[in-house]
Amino acid sequence: MEVFSQFDTYSLKARVFPALISGLPLLILLFMLVPWDHLALSQVIASSIGFVLIFAFADLARHRGKKLQERLGTGETPDQWLRGNRDVPEGSKDRYRGFVAEQLALTAPTLEEEQSGSELSADFYQSANAWLREQTRDHSAYPLLFAENITYGFRRNLLGLKSIALVCNLLVLLSCAGILYFESGYFAALPNVEEKVYIAVAAALLHSAYLMTAVNELALREASRAYGRQLILSCESLMHSHKSSPPKDESA
């Protein structure tokens, strides 16, 4: 759809998609209770409300996702650099550690510094990850890293919207109960209104079950570590590109 063309790939998959998933039962109820056999003001209003909800949820997804990341300490994963962490082979980390230390013009932490919990050690690995992120912004050159980043962003933002989505599902269920109980003139005149309401109820219940079982902190941490691992492994390509780069002519 053209309305989504203004979003880049990351924003679309990691922000808009969680927004759509979070507000799905609400959108289903909205569009099922408006007749679409003809174009009128109600259809225009319903469409506008739907798009506004998507944009609002997408912005909220980013905000709440960032807050969640700060609270849980995900996304950075500097501990994956530590000796003894099995996410990346030790031999590879030794090479990457030396390479990054050279690029940062810093001294890599020793085993003793890591075990003592030195602030210099933590700062070095945070700086290493920050440097790697800046060096790997070309998504076409690092597609696996970009894919892992999208997966992490999707899970983070969806988990950030989880409580709001569950509240919306409750509102959908209450609205459906009210429609069936009061049978107001407008809703009674809609074709197959009871069938549509029951579909909205089923959507809200299934959606809530999905949120309660699949959207959780464990899945987020799993995606965070997968992204962190791939970020460290990107050193391999960077080391190769640095070796392949011709030396600068200092006489110029």
Side-chain angles (χ1 to χ4, degrees), residues 13-189:
K13 294 182 177 181
R15 296 174 187 167
V16 176
F17 284 4
L20 281 170
I21 292 174
S22 298
L24 188 59
L26 198 59
L27 292 172
I28 289 176
L29 180 64
L30 174 66
F31 284 97
M32 288 183 68
L33 296 182
V34 175
W36 294 96
D37 55 345
H38 63 281
L39 184 61
L41 181 60
S42 59
Q43 286 79 12
V44 175
I45 293 175
S47 299
S48 300
I49 292 175
F51 288 130
V52 168
L53 283 174
I54 292 172
F55 278 85
F57 268 57
D59 182 68
L60 191 60
R62 181 178 183 275
H63 173 72
R64 291 181 64 88
K66 286 286 187 180
K67 292 292 185 181
L68 183 67
Q69 177 174 301
E70 293 175 3
R71 180 169 62 85
L72 297 179
T74 57
E76 295 294 330
T77 62
D79 59 297
Q80 290 178 297
W81 279 99
L82 298 177
R83 296 169 177 87
N85 186 293
R86 297 180 178 275
D87 289 348
V88 180
E90 292 295 342
S92 298
K93 280 192 295 188
D94 287 339
R95 292 188 298 111
Y96 301 159
R97 195 179 289 112
F99 168 70
V100 173
E102 182 181 351
Q103 304 307 311
L104 296 175
L106 296 172
T107 302
T110 63
L111 174 61
E112 291 73 19
E113 289 173 331
E114 290 181 2
Q115 291 177 339
S116 66
S118 168
E119 290 186 7
L120 291 176
S121 173
D123 183 72
F124 176 87
Y125 292 132
Q126 289 173 355
S127 299
N129 279 354
W131 182 81
L132 286 173
R133 283 194 295 272
E134 290 301 319
Q135 300 301 312
T136 55
R137 290 192 179 277
D138 184 353
H139 302 156
S140 60
Y142 302 92
L144 291 178
L145 178 62
F146 185 50
E148 295 291 2
N149 191 26
I150 287 176
T151 299
Y152 169 70
F154 173 84
R155 293 187 184 181
R156 182 197 70 183
N157 294 338
L158 186 57
L159 182 57
L161 289 175
K162 179 178 178 178
S163 59
I164 294 177
L166 289 172
V167 170
C168 288
N169 287 350
L170 178 60
L171 293 176
V172 168
L173 293 174
L174 292 175
S175 298
C176 290
I179 292 171
L180 293 176
Y181 181 78
F182 293 107
E183 297 182 344
S184 65
Y186 171 79
F187 294 116

Side-chain angles (χ1 to χ4, degrees), residues 1-8 12 16-17 20 51 54-55:
M1 296 176 64
E2 292 185 4
V3 69
F4 297 132
S5 62
Q6 61 181 297
F7 294 101
D8 57 33
L12 184 63
V16 176
F17 284 4
L20 281 170
F51 288 130
I54 292 172
F55 278 85

